[in-house]
Amino acid sequence: MSVTPQVMSITMKESHYLDDVISDITRRKANVSCVGRSGLLTVLERLGFRHKAGKNENHRIFTHKELSSKSEFKTFSVDCGHGMKKTVKPNYSLTVLNVLKKYHDELREIYDES
């Protein structure tokens, strides 16, 4: 199931948004951008991650306060490369997938509490 604006307006608990995001990125990992309704920045923000510029504006560093308090999670980064609307390199999609899968239970717990 791909992420749509309608899904994003529903609460995490109702939509199983985390599972939808994992499925969507897995399906199209070679064709994921940083921005847009299903871009990495958008879906990660919806999951509670915050980001800031790293070495340059296109290099984004992600944090998640609640996840860090429930696990050993610290940060991860994504390089949006040659522009936010361009496709990211597949290794960054895999980085995001690895984080979401590794901390799946903790992320679900965070949103089930809200």
Side-chain angles (χ1 to χ4, degrees), residues 10-28:
I10 300 171
T11 68
M12 173 79 171
K13 190 173 181 180
E14 293 169 338
S15 70
H16 302 283
Y17 186 73
L18 176 60
D19 298 324
D20 293 345
V21 168
I22 291 171
S23 295
D24 188 53
I25 296 173
T26 299
R27 182 179 50 80
R28 57 187 194 91

Side-chain angles (χ1 to χ4, degrees), residues 11 14 21 25 33 36 40 42 48 59 62 76 80 83 89 94 99 105 111:
T11 68
E14 293 169 338
V21 168
I25 296 173
S33 67
L40 292 178
T42 304
H59 185 247
F62 291 87
F76 72 95
C80 293
K89 291 183 179 180
L94 291 174
V99 169
D105 294 341
Y111 292 104

Side-chain angles (χ1 to χ4, degrees), residues 1-5 7-8 16-33 35-44 47 93-94 96-97 100-101:
M1 174 181 205
S2 46
V3 179
T4 63
V7 172
M8 291 175 65
H16 302 283
Y17 186 73
L18 176 60
D19 298 324
D20 293 345
V21 168
I22 291 171
S23 295
D24 188 53
I25 296 173
T26 299
R27 182 179 50 80
R28 57 187 194 91
K29 65 182 154 237
N31 191 26
V32 178
S33 67
V35 296
R37 72 175 191 207
S38 60
L40 292 178
L41 300 181
T42 304
V43 298
L44 290 171
L47 291 170
S93 296
L94 291 174
V96 171
L97 282 172
L100 296 179
K101 289 176 181 179

